[in-house]
Amino acid sequence: MVMFFVHTMITIILLFCLYPSVLGEEYANLEFDDIDEIFSDLETDSVGHRVPRQVNKLESKPHIIDFKVKTTIISRYAFTAVSCTMINRVSAAKEGVFQIQIPAAAYISNFTMIIGGRVFPSEVREKEKKLKGKKKETKKPGNGAKADNIESEMETFRIAASIPGKNKATFLLAYEELLQRRLGKYEHVTSVRPQQLVSKLSVEVNIVEHSEITYLETPQLRNGRTSSSANTANPNSKPGAPLSTVINRTKTTCKVTFSPNIMQQARIARNGMLGDFVVRYDVERELGIGDIQVLNGYFVHYFAPKDLPAVPKNVVFVIDTSASMVGTKIRQTKEALFTILKDLRPEDHFNIVSFSNRIKVWQQGKLVPVTPDNIRDAKKFIYLLSPSGGTNINGGIQTGAALLSDYKANHRRTQGSVSLIIFLTDGRPTVGETQSSNILSNTKEAVQEQSCLFSIGIGNDVDYRLLERMALENCGMMRRIYEDADARTMLKGFYDEIGTPLLSDIHIDYTEDTVEYVTQKLFTNYFNGSEIVIAGKLSDQSTDSLHVQMKASNSDKSIMLEMDIPLQDKAKEVEKNIKSLVNTTTEKDYIERLWGYLSVKELLQSRLRSESSRERETLSDQAKNLSLTYNFVTPVTSMVIEQPDIQMDKPRDDDADPLDEEHREKPQSLHRNTKQPDVSVKKPEKKIIISKTSADGDPHFVVDFPLSKMFL
């Protein structure tokens, strides 16, 4: 017996000596569920003790064996394709959950499931109108899956499918988005959170630009549990990039890959929640009228002038100091305002309004210039702000707008300046006027198109529909700051985007008989580091030239630029640029799809601002028709998928999973991280309907599913 034990030990030692790869490279290709067992020896509390093998409660659940995300960005327009394959190793059918976060501004253009070798494609249709008086059963907020501390605006797409025993399922998702330029950079975000370690995981981002790429950055994974010691940069990647990142670039193209093996994934996050893989870049700017690209009868115009003097601004900060702001919210708001005050320029004028039950104004009836004494006194006023009482949103905005109107009326030299209201709240109106429709009309009447309102909502209790409409109706924009996010940094970042106006009253016109269906051409302001994007359809593809004229103001100066664009030469140039770099037909039509994307966005925004039901219906129909043309899932369309008819077998005792019931009760949805959408329960049908809710509020995707013990 002793000799047998010694012989066995010698054999094991020889195996480890002769095959060192057992401890190294082999880990990269493992496809088992209980990865924790491998790393149990690394736990400090296991030193000196034999750790008994634990039964893995999740080993009967389908396991992801392949997770790939590939993005192709062509002149700022991004096409992303996600592929996720999972395997059910037990004999009974099991529920597999596919979940991924996508940018809130993106539109899903395709979703397909391949289960047990059978393909279940999707189809985008007109959204069915809800029947009046029909009640919905709802899920309370908070039961959906959430990502930890995600500060960017993302939505979570989640759907479950029953996978037959000893079979595989593949989920294919495609979505499109136009990257916005902020603070001088474009940013593309890929969420890498498969919720388990994956043997084959890869992210690939390809950039094809018309102009030279002047800046490229791949920072550390955002919100991933990554330590600097665990991320030694790959010698072929940019310093500071996530582990396993490889960058290959030319003058106008770039390929970034991120493909960590299981060991590398475990160093970042053993639960598979790696974080956001971010790629930031910028391109060389053409002087003058900007960059105009033409392809297949459509054009896109990128305009981002630089090296202009900043336009003086008149700004009023309207800050919520109700009781709900107590603690971290008010502390971070104060810290951000202290920093923002330092960035005000000597030619700027400002004031501060706080609102709760009472309205407090720092400097009554005026805006003051930026001087060291005024900045010091403003900081003292902010420091002494104390949260209490309710939320008088209407009163705060009325006071801020009146300050700006009176100041502009009494100071003629403000003609060349830009007036801004920066409004921040964490709640809904509870004091004074509380009806949203009245607040909107009061705000519009008070602002009178003399200033722009930028609204910021903090936390989960904000009426985002109200804030978004207030901003859109008054030439501003709305920004969300989620609960537990770094409000100080996000507030400062938002101000930086709008803190340096370079142009105002921008009018861009094209030859009337040459173009049709042009997107927005009038812009109130252009801020440093941003970009104006206009797309249009040519009336006649054979037209030789396009006349472009731009008029704008910079302080008290007027600017006008004109140029004739040789359309045929531009089209040939674009075709040559993408010919060898772009493969699919969809990607080769990127300008047309960009035009469709922008047109739908603008129609939905116009619908949000519309005041009559007839106009609203007309805009909805136009947005619906375009959405159907380009297969976009928008607030006016739905994506329908055939329901796989797979019976959920009663599991054997050894296959039982205590978490199955928990997962089965959760609705499948694509939603913002802080709020679970309502889910309609319909009569049993053989289809699944995925739809995006109206843009009039908190947009998210809802999956309507049959009330059945079978799949879904």
Side-chain angles (χ1 to χ4, degrees):
M1 187 71 181
V2 174
M3 290 300 294
F4 174 79
F5 175 79
V6 171
H7 176 74
T8 303
M9 290 303 296
I10 292 173
T11 303
I12 293 173
I13 292 170
L14 285 173
L15 281 172
F16 274 78
C17 293
L18 293 173
Y19 302 99
S21 64
V22 170
L23 297 177
E25 188 176 310
E26 287 295 312
Y27 280 156
N29 299 313
L30 290 176
E31 294 185 2
F32 44 76
D33 300 69
D34 195 4
I35 192 69
D36 287 343
E37 185 181 345
I38 295 181
F39 299 103
S40 61
D41 294 339
L42 303 179
E43 303 292 341
T44 54
D45 60 356
S46 66
V47 176
H49 300 278
R50 175 170 177 163
V51 180
R53 171 169 168 74
Q54 302 294 318
V55 176
N56 184 4
K57 294 180 180 180
L58 298 178
E59 64 183 3
S60 64
K61 300 193 72 62
H63 185 79
I64 298 175
I65 57 174
D66 194 346
F67 182 86
K68 292 185 176 69
V69 183
K70 182 178 179 179
T71 297
T72 301
I73 303 170
I74 312 172
S75 293
R76 292 73 134 178
Y77 194 68
F79 298 87
T80 299
V82 183
S83 172
C84 177
T85 300
M86 55 185 70
I87 186 170
N88 176 14
R89 292 195 174 93
V90 300
S91 56
K94 287 291 179 179
E95 183 182 73
V97 178
F98 169 62
Q99 177 171 304
I100 188 170
Q101 289 155 348
I102 70 172
Y107 285 150
I108 290 176
S109 55
N110 187 38
F111 178 67
T112 301
M113 298 185 295
I114 305 173
I115 301 176
R118 184 181 171 191
V119 179
F120 298 90
S122 63
E123 179 186 356
V124 176
R125 299 178 185 173
E126 176 183 356
K127 180 179 286 187
E128 296 178 3
K129 294 182 179 180
K130 297 178 182 177
L131 297 176
K132 292 183 178 180
K134 185 178 179 180
K135 295 183 179 180
K136 295 194 299 183
E137 294 183 19
T138 62
K139 276 277 185 180
K140 293 183 179 180
N143 293 332
K146 286 199 235 178
D148 297 330
N149 301 322
I150 298 176
E151 297 179 359
S152 58
E153 293 205 2
M154 305 290 281
E155 295 174 337
T156 302
F157 181 88
R158 181 184 186 276
I159 193 166
S162 178
I163 305 174
K166 307 295 184 180
N167 249 299
K168 294 181 181 180
T170 298
F171 300 89
L172 304 172
L173 178 72
Y175 58 88
E176 302 173 22
E177 62 174 320
L178 176 64
L179 302 186
Q180 291 187 339
R181 189 169 184 255
R182 293 178 176 173
L183 301 176
K185 306 290 184 298
Y186 304 102
E187 180 176 282
H188 181 268
V189 179
T190 304
S191 178
V192 190
R193 294 177 173 85
Q195 301 186 71
Q196 57 183 260
L197 301 182
V198 181
S199 58
K200 295 179 182 178
L201 184 150
S202 67
V203 176
E204 180 181 317
V205 179
N206 298 283
I207 303 172
V208 180
E209 281 291 340
H210 182 254
S211 304
E212 180 181 357
I213 299 173
T214 57
Y215 177 89
L216 181 69
E217 178 191 13
T218 53
Q220 289 294 318
L221 292 171
R222 192 157 61 194
N223 301 312
R225 294 183 299 175
T226 306
S227 64
S228 57
S229 60
N231 283 272
T232 305
N234 187 304
N236 295 323
S237 67
K238 185 180 178 71
L243 184 68
S244 83
T245 301
V246 177
I247 301 173
N248 296 299
R249 59 184 295 187
T250 65
K251 187 177 180 179
T252 59
T253 67
C254 178
K255 181 179 180 180
V256 183
T257 57
F258 172 62
S259 51
N261 58 36
I262 280 188
M263 290 289 286
Q264 292 167 336
Q265 293 171 48
R267 289 182 184 181
I268 300 169
R270 287 169 57 182
N271 63 357
M273 305 290 281
L274 306 188
D276 291 329
F277 183 73
V278 180
V279 177
R280 298 192 189 103
Y281 76 98
D282 198 24
V283 299
E284 184 64 40
R285 303 282 146 200
E286 291 189 15
L287 297 176
I289 207 75
D291 178 21
I292 296 179
Q293 300 176 27
V294 183
L295 187 66
N296 299 333
Y298 292 83
F299 75 92
V300 59
H301 183 184
Y302 299 104
F303 182 64
K306 58 181 181 179
D307 301 329
L308 294 170
V311 176
K313 60 182 178 291
N314 315 306
V315 56
V316 175
F317 300 95
V318 182
I319 308 301
D320 187 346
T321 55
S322 60
S324 57
M325 286 286 290
V326 72
T328 302
K329 291 178 184 176
I330 193 66
R331 176 179 59 79
Q332 292 189 336
T333 299
K334 290 180 178 182
E335 290 172 354
L337 287 172
F338 291 155
T339 306
I340 289 170
L341 289 176
K342 292 179 184 177
D343 292 344
L344 291 174
R345 295 180 176 82
E347 62 271 18
D348 296 338
H349 291 75
F350 73 107
N351 204 339
I352 304 167
V353 175
S354 69
F355 67 94
S356 55
N357 281 37
R358 297 172 54 197
I359 308 295
K360 295 181 181 179
V361 181
W362 170 50
Q363 296 286 345
Q364 288 290 340
K366 60 182 178 180
L367 267 64
V368 300
V370 176
T371 65
D373 289 345
N374 284 338
I375 295 296
R376 181 197 63 213
D377 293 345
K379 287 183 177 179
K380 183 178 180 181
F381 175 80
I382 293 168
Y383 179 78
L384 294 175
L385 292 176
S386 179
S388 64
T391 307
N392 189 353
I393 288 178
N394 187 70
I397 292 178
Q398 294 296 307
T399 304
L403 285 169
L404 279 171
S405 297
D406 293 345
Y407 177 74
K408 293 187 72 173
N410 297 325
H411 296 80
R412 290 185 177 180
R413 58 190 175 85
T414 62
Q415 269 191 331
S417 61
V418 169
S419 296
L420 311 175
I421 298 173
I422 298 179
F423 173 79
L424 180 146
T425 184
D426 77 327
R428 299 170 181 269
T430 60
V431 176
E433 180 59 68
T434 59
Q435 292 296 318
S436 296
S437 58
N438 293 337
I439 293 174
L440 288 168
S441 59
N442 292 343
T443 300
K444 197 169 184 178
E445 184 178 349
V447 172
Q448 295 180 344
E449 298 184 353
Q450 295 184 25
S451 57
C452 293
L453 189 152
F454 295 86
S455 56
I456 305 165
I458 301 180
N460 303 337
D461 300 323
V462 181
D463 185 348
Y464 285 112
R465 175 180 181 178
L466 174 62
L467 296 193
E468 185 176 24
R469 286 199 63 177
M470 283 197 306
L472 287 175
E473 290 181 359
N474 297 282
C475 71
M477 58 183 175
M478 186 265 290
R479 186 62 50 84
R480 299 163 183 258
I481 299 179
Y482 294 111
E483 206 76 49
D484 301 326
D486 184 356
R488 180 183 63 83
T489 301
M490 296 188 73
L491 279 170
K492 178 59 170 61
F494 181 64
Y495 173 79
D496 288 344
E497 290 182 37
I498 61 176
T500 309
L502 298 183
L503 294 173
S504 60
D505 299 323
I506 304 109
H507 296 247
I508 301 178
D509 292 309
Y510 308 91
T511 314
E512 289 187 7
D513 58 351
T514 306
V515 300
E516 56 184 355
Y517 307 118
V518 180
T519 58
Q520 181 182 348
K521 301 185 296 180
L522 308 178
F523 302 87
T524 307
N525 299 302
Y526 165 74
F527 298 101
N528 188 41
S530 65
E531 183 174 58
I532 290 174
V533 183
I534 304 171
K537 181 179 180 180
L538 297 172
S539 303
D540 185 355
Q541 292 192 40
S542 62
T543 304
D544 291 329
S545 67
L546 173 68
H547 184 75
V548 183
Q549 182 184 77
M550 190 281 298
K551 295 180 181 179
S553 298
N554 174 261
S555 296
D556 55 349
K557 300 176 182 178
S558 295
I559 298 175
M560 187 174 77
L561 298 172
E562 289 186 278
M563 181 177 286
D564 288 320
I565 306 299
L567 294 177
Q568 301 305 319
D569 292 344
K570 284 285 184 181
K572 291 177 182 178
E573 189 178 334
V574 172
E575 288 175 0
K576 181 180 178 182
N577 188 42
I578 67 171
K579 185 176 182 180
S580 60
L581 300 172
V582 177
N583 299 319
T584 68
T585 303
T586 300
E587 292 172 354
K588 289 180 179 178
D589 289 331
Y590 75 95
I591 295 181
E592 179 182 351
R593 297 190 70 83
L594 187 158
W595 171 80
Y597 173 93
L598 275 182
S599 297
V600 172
K601 290 281 184 185
E602 291 181 5
L603 286 168
L604 292 175
Q605 288 182 354
S606 297
R607 187 183 74 153
L608 189 61
R609 295 191 297 263
S610 65
E611 297 179 355
S612 71
S613 57
R614 177 175 294 182
E615 181 186 15
R616 181 182 173 86
E617 186 175 350
T618 300
L619 292 167
S620 295
D621 287 341
Q622 293 174 350
K624 175 198 67 180
N625 292 335
L626 273 178
S627 300
L628 292 173
T629 299
Y630 295 103
N631 217 57
F632 291 152
V633 180
T634 69
V636 290
T637 57
S638 297
M639 180 170 278
V640 180
I641 313 167
E642 179 186 354
Q643 179 192 340
D645 189 6
I646 301 169
Q647 182 69 40
M648 291 290 288
D649 298 336
K650 183 177 179 181
R652 302 190 309 266
D653 292 340
D654 58 341
D655 288 342
D657 188 337
L659 297 180
D660 277 352
E661 289 300 320
E662 176 187 347
H663 279 280
R664 195 172 296 125
E665 292 172 0
K666 291 183 180 179
Q668 288 67 235
S669 62
L670 189 144
H671 58 87
R672 289 193 183 276
N673 296 320
T674 58
K675 187 176 181 180
Q676 179 73 7
D678 297 339
V679 177
S680 302
V681 179
K682 299 186 174 184
K683 293 181 180 179
E685 294 179 284
K686 292 292 185 179
K687 64 179 180 180
I688 308 161
I689 302 175
I690 303 176
S691 59
K692 190 160 188 168
T693 64
S694 171
D696 317 346
D698 189 14
H700 51 256
F701 281 68
V702 174
V703 177
D704 292 333
F705 55 92
L707 190 61
S708 170
K709 292 184 179 180
M710 291 164 47
F711 165 58
L712 297 182

